[in-house]
Amino acid sequence: MDLDVFVTTHRAEWDRLDALLGRQRRLTGAEADELVSLYQRTATHLSLIQSSAPDPQLTGRLSQLVARARSAVTGTRRASWRDVTRFLTHGFPSAVYRSRRWWVPTALLSTLVSVLLGWWIGTHPDVQATIAAPNELRELTRPGGQYETYYSSHPAASFAAQVWTNNAWAAALCLILGVFLGLPVLWLLFQNMLNLGVGFGLMSSAGRLDTFLGLVLPHGLLELTAVFVAAGTGLRLGWTVVDPGPRSRRTALAEEGRAAIGMAIGLALVLFVSGAIEGFVTPSSLPTWGRIGIGVVAELTFLAYVFVLGGRAARVGETGDVEAAERSATVPTAA
């Protein structure tokens, strides 16, 4: 594309669209029709320039012009409870369902890594010696030690809020950093599995694995699932950078990125539930089977939500992205 020729050919249309958008009075019917036509053509021009001859200054001007025209044509849209309902019943569960081929293997492999690390630490006293001094290890693992008192060391409400904030931030980092080819996501995931493996190994070596599982499973099932979903989605976003498929890389990243932002919000709600369980159920006086039972019910409810509700929404075309009317105009891309 000869950019100078293209600009000379279409500058009058852009100037006319800018003039119509700047009108203080109400547009006539003919002017409104002209504005819509110019908006559609300018959006196409913008897509052509972005894909064929990107020029930062011209792209910035046309992007601003198209955004103003879209606002004038569609009107200012306000979020409503319908949007919240659609997100919770269609957008979020379908986005998690569509990412299942990434987060399910991530969950299985991560769990295996954590178990192997726990076994290695639990069966090798020399490895345990590199973690802490013997008296410190005894303080961690003894009845009433730090592993047990950790969950009741603060008031339940503030502890739940702190846990929720930390976990939501970790999940958001997995989603955001996925764009860097997924490498930071792998590191964050390994850190989580290492921490879990250390607790598993130390408590098992002290003969208190049942106590450890009774403390971790009530909230850990749902919490770790949310982390795995975030990590799997981050890895998927990283792979989109490498292989965007039939879409342009810009379009693919925009679509997957918007879905990832929605998933960050949804996972924050899931982690709020797991944080509440960790703050109120884990340190409670309920029997171990009762506490674990609550965790299992929460986990099965989330999985049913994703695979039943999300699967149904995905099969009718829901992707977790914003509605079509809210997306930027694009032109077809050759496969």
Side-chain angles (χ1 to χ4, degrees):
M1 174 192 293
D2 189 320
L3 189 59
D4 292 333
V5 173
F6 189 84
V7 171
T8 301
T9 303
H10 298 289
R11 185 191 299 276
E13 295 176 295
W14 305 336
D15 291 342
R16 175 59 177 166
L17 177 58
D18 189 39
L20 288 173
L21 291 172
R23 289 281 174 87
Q24 298 298 317
R25 61 174 175 80
R26 188 181 182 88
L27 299 179
T28 65
E31 288 173 333
D33 289 341
E34 184 184 8
L35 186 147
V36 172
S37 176
L38 288 172
Y39 158 60
Q40 293 172 333
R41 276 148 50 190
T42 304
T44 302
H45 298 161
L46 175 60
S47 293
L48 289 171
I49 291 171
Q50 288 175 326
S51 60
S52 302
D55 177 88
Q57 185 175 359
L58 181 59
T59 299
R61 183 203 169 188
L62 292 185
S63 296
Q64 185 179 36
L65 192 59
V66 167
R68 289 170 56 205
R70 182 187 298 119
S71 178
V73 170
T74 62
T76 303
R77 187 176 182 276
R78 296 181 179 179
S80 65
W81 284 109
R82 173 184 170 274
D83 298 310
V84 176
T85 302
R86 177 182 174 274
F87 171 73
L88 293 176
T89 59
H90 293 78
F92 174 56
S94 68
V96 178
Y97 179 81
R98 288 178 63 245
S99 298
R100 69 193 185 282
R101 292 185 177 87
W102 286 90
W103 65 262
V104 170
T106 298
L108 296 175
L109 183 59
S110 298
T111 302
L112 177 61
V113 168
S114 186
V115 170
L116 290 176
L117 285 171
W119 170 82
W120 181 55
I121 293 170
T123 55
H124 291 75
D126 55 323
V127 176
Q128 298 172 30
T130 64
I131 297 174
N135 61 321
E136 294 175 329
L137 294 180
R138 283 192 296 272
E139 180 59 29
L140 282 171
T141 58
R142 68 175 177 81
Q146 293 179 19
Y147 268 118
E148 292 184 43
T149 58
Y150 168 75
Y151 296 100
S152 56
S153 57
H154 296 88
S158 61
F159 182 70
Q162 178 184 350
V163 167
W164 173 58
T165 302
N166 292 339
N167 289 336
W169 177 241
L173 281 178
C174 285
L175 292 167
I176 295 169
L177 297 178
V179 73
F180 297 103
L181 303 181
L183 298 178
V185 177
L186 294 174
W187 175 248
L188 289 171
L189 190 59
F190 176 74
Q191 289 295 308
N192 275 275
M193 294 303 100
L194 178 60
N195 289 335
L196 184 62
V198 168
F200 181 93
L202 294 180
M203 289 292 276
S204 65
S205 68
R208 308 196 66 231
L209 182 59
D210 55 338
T211 301
F212 178 75
L213 294 178
L215 292 170
V216 170
L217 290 181
H219 63 273
L221 290 172
L222 187 59
E223 178 184 300
L224 286 174
T225 300
V227 170
F228 295 146
V229 170
T233 303
L235 293 174
R236 177 182 179 178
L237 189 61
W239 184 250
T240 300
V241 178
V242 178
D243 181 15
R247 302 167 292 180
S248 69
R249 185 168 280 102
R250 181 192 297 269
T251 300
L253 281 174
E255 292 177 356
E256 299 300 336
R258 286 191 299 263
I261 291 172
M263 288 182 70
I265 297 172
L267 289 175
L269 297 176
V270 175
L271 288 168
F272 177 81
V273 176
S274 71
I277 294 174
E278 187 168 359
F280 293 94
V281 176
T282 299
S284 71
S285 58
L286 289 172
T288 301
W289 63 266
R291 288 184 279 113
I292 293 178
I294 291 174
V296 170
V297 169
E299 172 74 358
L300 292 178
T301 300
F302 177 70
L303 293 178
Y305 170 72
V306 169
F307 285 94
V308 177
L309 204 62
R312 185 183 304 149
R315 284 189 287 273
V316 297
E318 179 64 58
T319 64
D321 196 0
V322 296
E323 295 188 47
E326 304 293 320
R327 302 172 199 166
S328 300
T330 58
V331 294
T333 303

